[in-house]
Amino acid sequence: MAEHTGDCFLVPGPVRMNQKCLDAMATPVITARGGEFRDVMAELNSGLRYAFNLSPSEPKKKTQSWAGDDDYKVMAVSGSGTAAMEMIIANRFRPNDLVLVPTNGKFGERVAEMCKRFCNVKHIKYDWGRAFDLYELEQQLERKCYEAVLICHNETSSGITQDAAAIAEMCSRYDTSFILDGITSIGGLPVDIVSWNVEAAAMGAQKCTAGPSGIAAITFNSKFYERCKAIKEQDDVNALFYLDFISAYKKGDDDQTPWTPAINLAMGWAEALNILKDEGLENRWNRCQQLSTGVQNLFLDLGFELLADISQRSATVTAIMYPDGIDDKWRSDLKEQYHTQVIGAQDHLKGKMFRVGSMGETTKEEMIEGCKRMLDCFRSHGHEIPQVDVESYF
Ligand SMILES: Cc1ncc(COP(=O)(O)O)c(C=O)c1O
């Protein structure tokens, strides 16, 4: 097996970009309204449909590249993943609507916080890394007072993936809309927008699809569009301008955007999505799963504790508790002395845990080398670890 040399960059996004993606971004600027940019948008839309696991579209302008033969369309959004989620939430709900947001980490909590700006929220807060109590969610849905359930599908802060299929089934039974923050799931682990009847979902370029930071996308079905349109026509829409969904929708058929698009970022992301197409979506899911399973088993065998519940550990990020006597000094030494980057924890877990990303185009060789360096760094901090065959875990 080829060895990985150079630094190891194992963070759960932004991830490293392929040279082809970087080269595409270095293309001389084109106008935002000409035919060349429409070609870029069409290619990007077709790649987005692939990453969202939707039916295909042609990467050609004037062919409705944002649509397919399912009920879903895709739309690129200038801004990071948060802008895409804000576009969904702010346009879809009226100030008087009530939504249900169960959370078990920082990004779910952010979804709840964002919803509070635009509508009423029932926020059910579980401990970070603990699976949702589906019985409790079902009891809530039985009340039939919720316009939608919103979840952070893959909780990057605590390394847990929600049981989206089970929640989707409940939402269908209680005729409640289901909305996903898929920012670190879409493109990296199995997401089935169509069969889960997801009304809208957001993804960020810089995560599982290894695109540039600062551009994101949403997918949505006709119900989402109809609701946003009705709310706007009734003049009940939340105050927003830049992220107005209906303005953007009107430009979709022409492969256009209402404001100046992130031209070079779109070029780079379209290329990154071509690389995803070449690898194959399921192959990417499988690679992410193989890398994360390897990391999880290796650290568990060495006596480390993982934060997330065993049955729902994420394929794109693993949250590992520091052993006694170790803190974030380990992480800075790992970066400075071992040229390997992982990420720390957020909020109350700061300094108590680290997170290893297994998304984007990360190779097995890089993960193996990175894990060896992590173990060496723990040893250099006085934490005893036996010699192990790291390769055998992958
Ligand atoms: C699950 C999840 N949601 C939302 C965000 C915020 O996305 P962005 O930083 O692209 O705005 C992140 C970023 O790490 C995330 O992991």
Side-chain angles (χ1 to χ4, degrees), residues 80-82 107 110 152 154 156 181 183-184 206-207:
S80 68
T82 307
F107 293 105
R110 194 176 287 172
C152 172
N154 186 71
T156 323
D181 165 343
I183 290 169
T184 54
Q206 80 278 19
K207 304 285 190 183

PDB file of all heavy atoms in Angstrom, residues 80-82 107 110 152 154 156 181 183-184 206-207, ligand 1:
ATOM      1  N   SER A  80     -22.196  29.991   3.288  1.00  0.00           N
ATOM      2  CA  SER A  80     -21.883  28.653   3.798  1.00  0.00           C
ATOM      3  C   SER A  80     -23.179  27.899   4.094  1.00  0.00           C
ATOM      4  O   SER A  80     -24.283  28.392   3.822  1.00  0.00           O
ATOM      5  CB  SER A  80     -20.988  28.766   5.033  1.00  0.00           C
ATOM      6  OG  SER A  80     -21.731  29.349   6.086  1.00  0.00           O
ATOM      7  N   GLY A  81     -23.049  26.729   4.671  1.00  0.00           N
ATOM      8  CA  GLY A  81     -24.219  25.883   4.948  1.00  0.00           C
ATOM      9  C   GLY A  81     -25.284  26.588   5.767  1.00  0.00           C
ATOM     10  O   GLY A  81     -26.492  26.372   5.569  1.00  0.00           O
ATOM     11  N   THR A  82     -24.862  27.446   6.669  1.00  0.00           N
ATOM     12  CA  THR A  82     -25.821  28.168   7.520  1.00  0.00           C
ATOM     13  C   THR A  82     -26.758  29.030   6.671  1.00  0.00           C
ATOM     14  O   THR A  82     -27.951  29.138   6.970  1.00  0.00           O
ATOM     15  CB  THR A  82     -25.051  29.056   8.532  1.00  0.00           C
ATOM     16  OG1 THR A  82     -24.110  28.232   9.221  1.00  0.00           O
ATOM     17  CG2 THR A  82     -25.976  29.706   9.534  1.00  0.00           C
ATOM     18  N   PHE A 107     -24.876  21.722  16.463  1.00  0.00           N
ATOM     19  CA  PHE A 107     -25.461  22.194  15.203  1.00  0.00           C
ATOM     20  C   PHE A 107     -26.982  22.037  15.190  1.00  0.00           C
ATOM     21  O   PHE A 107     -27.680  22.851  14.599  1.00  0.00           O
ATOM     22  CB  PHE A 107     -24.776  21.527  14.007  1.00  0.00           C
ATOM     23  CG  PHE A 107     -23.351  21.984  13.892  1.00  0.00           C
ATOM     24  CD1 PHE A 107     -22.297  21.169  14.265  1.00  0.00           C
ATOM     25  CD2 PHE A 107     -23.067  23.284  13.488  1.00  0.00           C
ATOM     26  CE1 PHE A 107     -20.982  21.613  14.219  1.00  0.00           C
ATOM     27  CE2 PHE A 107     -21.758  23.751  13.436  1.00  0.00           C
ATOM     28  CZ  PHE A 107     -20.711  22.911  13.805  1.00  0.00           C
ATOM     29  N   ARG A 110     -28.182  24.900  16.972  1.00  0.00           N
ATOM     30  CA  ARG A 110     -28.152  26.088  16.107  1.00  0.00           C
ATOM     31  C   ARG A 110     -29.388  26.130  15.204  1.00  0.00           C
ATOM     32  O   ARG A 110     -29.928  27.202  14.934  1.00  0.00           O
ATOM     33  CB  ARG A 110     -26.870  26.107  15.276  1.00  0.00           C
ATOM     34  CG  ARG A 110     -26.644  27.443  14.634  1.00  0.00           C
ATOM     35  CD  ARG A 110     -25.335  27.495  13.887  1.00  0.00           C
ATOM     36  NE  ARG A 110     -24.183  27.555  14.759  1.00  0.00           N
ATOM     37  CZ  ARG A 110     -22.914  27.458  14.330  1.00  0.00           C
ATOM     38  NH1 ARG A 110     -22.669  27.297  13.039  1.00  0.00           N
ATOM     39  NH2 ARG A 110     -21.916  27.524  15.172  1.00  0.00           N
ATOM     40  N   CYS A 152     -30.752  18.131  12.674  1.00  0.00           N
ATOM     41  CA  CYS A 152     -29.401  18.113  12.128  1.00  0.00           C
ATOM     42  C   CYS A 152     -29.100  16.625  11.924  1.00  0.00           C
ATOM     43  O   CYS A 152     -28.940  15.892  12.907  1.00  0.00           O
ATOM     44  CB  CYS A 152     -28.430  18.749  13.121  1.00  0.00           C
ATOM     45  SG  CYS A 152     -26.736  18.532  12.593  1.00  0.00           S
ATOM     46  N   ASN A 154     -26.606  14.735  10.633  1.00  0.00           N
ATOM     47  CA  ASN A 154     -25.334  14.213  11.147  1.00  0.00           C
ATOM     48  C   ASN A 154     -24.746  15.291  12.055  1.00  0.00           C
ATOM     49  O   ASN A 154     -24.343  16.342  11.571  1.00  0.00           O
ATOM     50  CB  ASN A 154     -24.385  13.902   9.986  1.00  0.00           C
ATOM     51  CG  ASN A 154     -23.112  13.230  10.466  1.00  0.00           C
ATOM     52  OD1 ASN A 154     -23.120  12.077  10.882  1.00  0.00           O
ATOM     53  ND2 ASN A 154     -22.005  13.963  10.451  1.00  0.00           N
ATOM     54  N   THR A 156     -22.214  16.985  13.757  1.00  0.00           N
ATOM     55  CA  THR A 156     -20.749  17.053  13.667  1.00  0.00           C
ATOM     56  C   THR A 156     -20.094  17.320  15.021  1.00  0.00           C
ATOM     57  O   THR A 156     -18.950  16.950  15.236  1.00  0.00           O
ATOM     58  CB  THR A 156     -20.354  18.182  12.684  1.00  0.00           C
ATOM     59  OG1 THR A 156     -21.291  18.205  11.610  1.00  0.00           O
ATOM     60  CG2 THR A 156     -18.972  17.963  12.114  1.00  0.00           C
ATOM     61  N   ASP A 181     -30.899  19.415   8.118  1.00  0.00           N
ATOM     62  CA  ASP A 181     -29.561  19.978   7.953  1.00  0.00           C
ATOM     63  C   ASP A 181     -28.710  18.759   7.587  1.00  0.00           C
ATOM     64  O   ASP A 181     -28.424  17.908   8.437  1.00  0.00           O
ATOM     65  CB  ASP A 181     -29.104  20.617   9.272  1.00  0.00           C
ATOM     66  CG  ASP A 181     -27.593  20.896   9.309  1.00  0.00           C
ATOM     67  OD1 ASP A 181     -26.853  20.325   8.485  1.00  0.00           O
ATOM     68  OD2 ASP A 181     -27.151  21.657  10.177  1.00  0.00           O
ATOM     69  N   ILE A 183     -25.694  18.944   6.269  1.00  0.00           N
ATOM     70  CA  ILE A 183     -24.422  19.591   5.914  1.00  0.00           C
ATOM     71  C   ILE A 183     -23.225  18.641   6.020  1.00  0.00           C
ATOM     72  O   ILE A 183     -22.307  18.724   5.204  1.00  0.00           O
ATOM     73  CB  ILE A 183     -24.268  20.907   6.727  1.00  0.00           C
ATOM     74  CG1 ILE A 183     -25.292  21.923   6.181  1.00  0.00           C
ATOM     75  CG2 ILE A 183     -22.839  21.472   6.658  1.00  0.00           C
ATOM     76  CD1 ILE A 183     -25.494  23.173   6.997  1.00  0.00           C
ATOM     77  N   THR A 184     -23.229  17.724   6.991  1.00  0.00           N
ATOM     78  CA  THR A 184     -22.135  16.731   7.005  1.00  0.00           C
ATOM     79  C   THR A 184     -22.639  15.306   6.773  1.00  0.00           C
ATOM     80  O   THR A 184     -21.966  14.335   7.117  1.00  0.00           O
ATOM     81  CB  THR A 184     -21.295  16.786   8.299  1.00  0.00           C
ATOM     82  OG1 THR A 184     -22.166  16.666   9.431  1.00  0.00           O
ATOM     83  CG2 THR A 184     -20.498  18.069   8.385  1.00  0.00           C
ATOM     84  N   GLN A 206     -18.071  22.492   1.446  1.00  0.00           N
ATOM     85  CA  GLN A 206     -16.737  22.237   2.011  1.00  0.00           C
ATOM     86  C   GLN A 206     -16.654  20.971   2.849  1.00  0.00           C
ATOM     87  O   GLN A 206     -15.630  20.706   3.464  1.00  0.00           O
ATOM     88  CB  GLN A 206     -16.314  23.447   2.855  1.00  0.00           C
ATOM     89  CG  GLN A 206     -16.901  23.548   4.268  1.00  0.00           C
ATOM     90  CD  GLN A 206     -18.299  24.131   4.333  1.00  0.00           C
ATOM     91  OE1 GLN A 206     -19.030  24.165   3.356  1.00  0.00           O
ATOM     92  NE2 GLN A 206     -18.705  24.582   5.513  1.00  0.00           N
ATOM     93  N   LYS A 207     -17.743  20.203   2.898  1.00  0.00           N
ATOM     94  CA  LYS A 207     -17.766  19.031   3.782  1.00  0.00           C
ATOM     95  C   LYS A 207     -17.592  17.750   2.959  1.00  0.00           C
ATOM     96  O   LYS A 207     -16.521  17.508   2.440  1.00  0.00           O
ATOM     97  CB  LYS A 207     -19.070  19.016   4.577  1.00  0.00           C
ATOM     98  CG  LYS A 207     -19.322  20.284   5.393  1.00  0.00           C
ATOM     99  CD  LYS A 207     -18.475  20.359   6.619  1.00  0.00           C
ATOM    100  CE  LYS A 207     -18.913  21.492   7.544  1.00  0.00           C
ATOM    101  NZ  LYS A 207     -18.048  21.608   8.717  1.00  0.00           N
TER     102      LYS A 207
HETATM  103  C1  LIG B   1     -23.975  19.681  10.785  1.00  0.00           C
HETATM  104  C2  LIG B   1     -23.562  21.081  10.546  1.00  0.00           C
HETATM  105  N1  LIG B   1     -24.509  22.016  10.358  1.00  0.00           N
HETATM  106  C3  LIG B   1     -24.188  23.297  10.113  1.00  0.00           C
HETATM  107  C4  LIG B   1     -22.888  23.704  10.061  1.00  0.00           C
HETATM  108  C5  LIG B   1     -22.575  25.133   9.771  1.00  0.00           C
HETATM  109  O1  LIG B   1     -22.204  25.188   8.438  1.00  0.00           O
HETATM  110  P1  LIG B   1     -21.346  26.391   7.842  1.00  0.00           P
HETATM  111  O2  LIG B   1     -20.192  26.568   8.750  1.00  0.00           O
HETATM  112  O3  LIG B   1     -20.998  25.890   6.477  1.00  0.00           O
HETATM  113  O4  LIG B   1     -22.234  27.568   7.811  1.00  0.00           O
HETATM  114  C6  LIG B   1     -21.862  22.779  10.247  1.00  0.00           C
HETATM  115  C7  LIG B   1     -20.445  23.205  10.217  1.00  0.00           C
HETATM  116  O5  LIG B   1     -19.569  22.517  10.672  1.00  0.00           O
HETATM  117  C8  LIG B   1     -22.212  21.442  10.491  1.00  0.00           C
HETATM  118  O6  LIG B   1     -21.266  20.508  10.661  1.00  0.00           O
END
